[in-house]
């Protein structure tokens, strides 16, 4: 209430926990006759008609106290809606103006306890909570009424239906039928038990088979995993072997493309000098090549021509014998042996000149043998072997190979052209013998023009 007595304690609704205010009989009477009563709890303003009755009127004498009407019991007649409404509207307590506040509190607590015991709901309540409680109780009462009506209808139907009793003969007949049905059902139960026992036996057999199949499956998967592991290991080993085979094949192809004699006796050009295995052959006035280097170069040239001549024996007559002995090679002509190494006297070197001339003769004879082999193989005229620099007696392309009474420049050029012819002979030998790489084209397709392209760099100062 907006106006309340300071001697009365504040209250709280036991349901929504909103604040309540209590008024004395006098203040309530004043507000009631004024016609506009305002009440509030928790700061809200409600309808004056409802809020005027949201308290319990307590008389000044205890004998005049009134509480909540008791809660209607189940099965009792429901009061009229007007009477419920009136009872709800009169659900308030008017407190007397007491001089002592503790006695008022004690009295209120006692009366609230009585109201709680009678209504089975914690008191006090605000108007909204009381209205909700009233609606709930009304609904329960209505449900109870519906149940009562249903029970009464059932009782009426039972009273109308008459009970027809069987005669003794009919009863015995029905009993015999029931016993016969019982015996039939017992026989069916026994048969079902037998079938159940058979099914159990079959089930145990199937369980045993299932267990055996499970063990077989486990064994299979174990063997499968072992086989899978072994297969993976074998595949890895196979891949490793295939990888090694690929490396070996690549190495083999590299070896097939390698000319052993070309690698063993590389003939090149170094300025004005022809070289074999990087040993210069010749001398110039301004470049004094040591005789040890010249002797080593002659030894390499003699060894190369000797290997090629020996390969074709006895077809190649090999009248002039070459004795390669490192840096001290010799040439044998009949019973005479000539030294092909220095140092020699520039003005008296007839034996040295004779050895160089015999080497040229042997090289020319081997070139003629290569030409005859190409003709025997019916090669085209352009494919028949021919030396790039003609050899005639002791001259190579008009330059004398003799050292006596000759210029060093001419002698060096003659040696250079001689190495060029030796390179051509080596190329023909590689393409027409077992030294030929397996991947190389047949010898018939190798023409003099192709050999010239491979050895023509001799005159250009490159590798040939």
């Amino acid at each position: 209430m907006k106006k309340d007595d300071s001697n009365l304690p504040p209250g709280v609704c036991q349901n929504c926990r909103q604040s309540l205010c209590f008024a004395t009989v006098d203040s309530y009477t004043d507000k009631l006759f004024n016609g506009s009563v305002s009440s509030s709890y928790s700061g809200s303003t409600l309808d004056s008609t409802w809020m005027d009755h949201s308290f319990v009127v307590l008389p000044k004498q205890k004998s005049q106290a009134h509480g909540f009407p008791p809660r209607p019991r189940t099965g009792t007649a429901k009061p009229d809606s007007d009477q419920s409404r009136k009872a709800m509207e009169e659900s308030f307590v008017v407190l007397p103006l007491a001089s002592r506040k503790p006695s008022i509190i004690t009295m209120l607590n006692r009366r609230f306890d009585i109201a709680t015991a009678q209504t089975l709901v914690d008191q006090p309540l605000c108007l909204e909570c009381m209205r909700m409680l009233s609606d709930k109780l009304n609904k329960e009462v209505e449900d109870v009424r519906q149940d009562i009506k249903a029970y009464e209808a059932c009782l009426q139907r039972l009273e109308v239906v008459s009970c027809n009793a069987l005669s003794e003969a009919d009863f015995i007949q029905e009993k015999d039928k029931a016993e016969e049905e019982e015996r039939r059902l017992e026989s069916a139960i026994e048969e079902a038990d037998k079938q159940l026992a058979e099914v159990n036996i079959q089930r145990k057999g199937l369980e045993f088979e299932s267990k055996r199949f499970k063990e077989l499956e486990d064994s299979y998967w174990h063997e499968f995993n072992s086989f899978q592991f072994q297969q993976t290991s074998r595949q890895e080993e196979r891949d490793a072997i295939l990888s090694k085979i690929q490396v070996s094949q690549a190495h083999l192809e590299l070896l097939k493309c390698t000319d052993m004699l070309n690698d063993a006796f590389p003939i090149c050009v170094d300025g004005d000098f022809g070289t074999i295995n990087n040993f210069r052959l010749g001398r110039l006035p301004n470049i004094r090549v040591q005789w040890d280097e010249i002797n080593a170069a002659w030894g390499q040239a003699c060894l190369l021509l000797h290997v090629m001549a020996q390969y074709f024996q006895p077809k190649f007559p090999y009248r002039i014998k070459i004795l390669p002995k490192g840096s001290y090679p010799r040439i044998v002509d009949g019973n005479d042996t000539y030294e092909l190494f220095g140092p020699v006297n520039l003005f008296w070197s007839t034996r040295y000149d004779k050895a160089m001339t015999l080497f040229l003769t042997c090289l020319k004879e081997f070139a003629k043998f290569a030409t005859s082999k190409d003709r025997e193989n019916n090669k085209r005229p352009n494919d028949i072997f021919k030396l790039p620099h003609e050899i005639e007696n002791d001259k190579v392309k008009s330059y004398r190979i003799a050292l006596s009474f000759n210029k060093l420049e001419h002698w060096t050029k003659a040696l250079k052209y001689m190495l060029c012819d030796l390179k051509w002979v080596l190329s023909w030998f590689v393409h027409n013998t077992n030294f030929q790489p397996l991947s190389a084209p047949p010898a018939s397709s190798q023409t003099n023009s192709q050999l010239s392209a491979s050895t023509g760099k001799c005159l250009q100062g490159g590798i040939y």
Side-chain angles (χ1 to χ4, degrees):
M1 305 293 292
K2 287 186 178 180
K3 271 184 162 185
D4 59 348
D5 199 324
S6 60
N7 295 324
L8 298 178
V12 178
C13 177
Q14 298 300 310
N15 184 33
C16 63
R17 312 307 296 176
Q18 299 292 337
S19 299
L20 296 176
C21 295
F22 299 93
T24 62
V25 175
D26 298 335
S27 61
Y28 168 74
T29 304
D30 295 338
K31 294 176 182 178
L32 183 62
F33 285 104
N34 288 335
S36 77
V37 181
S38 298
S39 61
S40 65
Y41 60 92
S42 298
S44 300
T45 303
L46 299 176
D47 184 74
S48 61
T49 304
W50 289 100
M51 288 305 296
D52 287 344
H53 303 287
S54 63
F55 46 81
V56 178
V57 179
L58 299 177
K60 295 184 179 181
Q61 290 79 17
K62 295 183 178 178
S63 59
Q64 297 176 357
H66 297 279
F68 283 108
R71 180 179 178 180
R73 306 296 180 179
T74 304
T76 61
K78 180 180 178 184
D80 295 337
S81 60
D82 295 338
Q83 293 178 357
S84 300
R85 178 81 174 185
K86 183 177 181 181
M88 193 65 193
E89 290 175 352
E90 293 176 355
S91 60
F92 52 82
V93 176
V94 179
L95 301 178
L97 181 61
S99 60
R100 291 182 298 176
K101 188 174 183 180
S103 62
I104 296 177
I105 295 174
T106 303
M107 179 182 61
L108 284 176
N109 290 336
R110 182 179 178 183
R111 295 194 178 186
F112 285 144
D113 292 340
I114 295 173
T116 300
Q118 291 182 355
T119 61
L120 300 179
V121 177
D122 292 338
Q123 299 292 337
L125 295 175
C126 64
L127 178 61
E128 290 297 327
C129 294
M130 184 63 73
R131 187 192 312 174
M132 293 173 59
L133 177 60
S134 177
D135 294 340
K136 180 179 179 183
L137 294 176
N138 290 336
K139 186 176 182 305
E140 291 179 358
V141 171
E142 183 65 25
D143 293 340
V144 171
R145 285 183 175 180
Q146 294 295 332
D147 293 341
I148 291 173
K149 290 181 180 180
Y151 292 148
E152 290 177 352
C154 289
L155 289 174
Q156 291 176 1
R157 286 196 299 271
L158 289 175
E159 291 176 356
V160 172
V161 177
S162 60
C163 182
N164 297 324
L166 294 176
S167 62
E168 184 176 358
D170 294 337
F171 177 75
I172 293 173
Q173 185 179 1
E174 292 293 331
K175 178 182 177 183
D176 293 339
K177 289 182 180 180
E179 291 177 352
E180 181 66 24
E181 182 68 18
E182 182 181 2
R183 287 191 295 269
R184 187 183 64 80
L185 292 176
E186 288 178 353
S187 177
I189 290 173
E190 292 178 357
E191 183 67 23
D193 290 338
K194 291 181 181 179
Q195 293 179 359
L196 178 61
E198 293 177 358
V199 170
N200 287 333
I201 294 174
Q202 294 178 359
R203 180 177 60 82
K204 291 180 179 179
L206 292 176
E207 288 178 352
F208 177 77
E209 291 294 328
S210 175
K211 183 178 179 181
R212 189 171 65 86
F213 284 134
K214 186 68 170 64
E215 293 176 353
L216 290 175
E217 183 181 6
D218 294 341
S219 176
Y220 165 76
W221 284 115
H222 178 72
E223 293 178 358
F224 175 79
N225 293 332
S226 178
F227 173 77
Q228 195 79 5
F229 176 76
Q230 294 178 0
Q231 184 181 17
T232 303
S233 300
R234 297 297 182 271
Q235 288 179 349
E236 291 177 355
E237 293 178 0
R238 185 198 63 179
D239 294 341
I241 293 174
L242 290 178
S243 178
K244 291 181 180 179
I245 291 175
Q246 291 179 354
V247 173
S248 300
Q249 286 179 345
H251 192 200
L252 177 61
E253 293 298 326
L254 180 62
L255 293 177
K256 286 179 180 180
C257 296
T258 301
D259 294 335
M260 187 181 68
L261 291 180
N262 280 329
D263 291 341
F265 302 97
I267 300 175
C268 305
V269 170
D270 183 9
D272 293 330
F273 296 95
T275 64
I276 180 169
N277 265 336
N278 294 326
F279 296 120
R280 292 175 293 181
L281 190 59
R283 253 187 175 189
L284 292 176
N286 57 343
I287 303 176
R288 294 290 181 174
V289 180
Q290 298 296 323
W291 278 105
D292 291 338
E293 185 175 354
I294 297 173
N295 295 337
W298 272 118
Q300 293 289 313
C302 290
L303 178 60
L304 175 58
L305 185 57
H306 174 73
V307 169
M308 293 187 293
Q310 287 288 335
Y311 182 83
F312 282 107
Q313 278 192 344
K315 294 182 180 180
F316 179 61
Y318 198 26
R319 180 179 61 82
I320 300 174
K321 306 296 181 183
I322 299 176
L323 304 177
K325 295 183 178 182
S327 297
Y328 302 96
R330 291 175 174 79
I331 307 295
V332 178
D333 184 15
N335 296 325
D336 297 327
T337 302
Y338 301 94
E339 296 80 11
L340 190 56
F341 56 89
V344 296
N345 191 332
L346 183 61
F347 300 100
W348 189 257
S349 55
T350 54
R351 296 183 63 83
Y352 187 71
D353 294 340
K354 183 64 175 179
M356 289 188 292
T357 302
L358 292 175
F359 183 87
L360 278 181
T361 303
C362 184
L363 180 60
K364 183 179 180 179
E365 290 177 357
F366 191 84
K368 289 181 179 180
F369 173 77
T371 302
S372 63
K373 290 289 290 182
D374 288 345
R375 287 173 179 170
E376 289 177 5
N377 295 329
N378 297 322
K379 290 186 178 181
R380 293 177 300 178
N382 292 334
D383 296 337
I384 296 176
F385 178 77
K386 182 174 63 174
L387 289 175
H389 307 297
E390 186 178 357
I391 298 176
E392 186 65 31
N393 296 328
D394 62 345
K395 292 182 180 180
V396 182
K397 196 178 180 180
S398 72
Y399 291 99
R400 290 179 63 244
I401 200 171
L403 183 59
S404 301
F405 305 103
N406 195 6
K407 293 182 179 181
L408 292 177
E409 294 88 345
H410 294 172
W411 179 56
T412 301
K413 283 187 178 181
L415 294 175
K416 180 179 177 181
Y417 294 144
M418 181 271 297
L419 287 177
C420 183
D421 288 345
L422 184 62
K423 177 65 177 180
W424 274 66
V425 171
L426 174 60
S427 298
W428 177 89
F429 180 82
V430 167
H431 290 89
N432 290 273
T433 62
N434 292 334
F435 289 97
Q436 175 184 356
L438 297 178
S439 60
S444 60
S445 64
Q446 299 295 324
T447 62
N448 282 337
S449 60
Q450 291 172 332
L451 292 176
S452 176
S454 64
T455 59
K457 293 182 180 179
C458 172
L459 301 179
Q460 301 295 330
I463 299 176
Y464 61 93

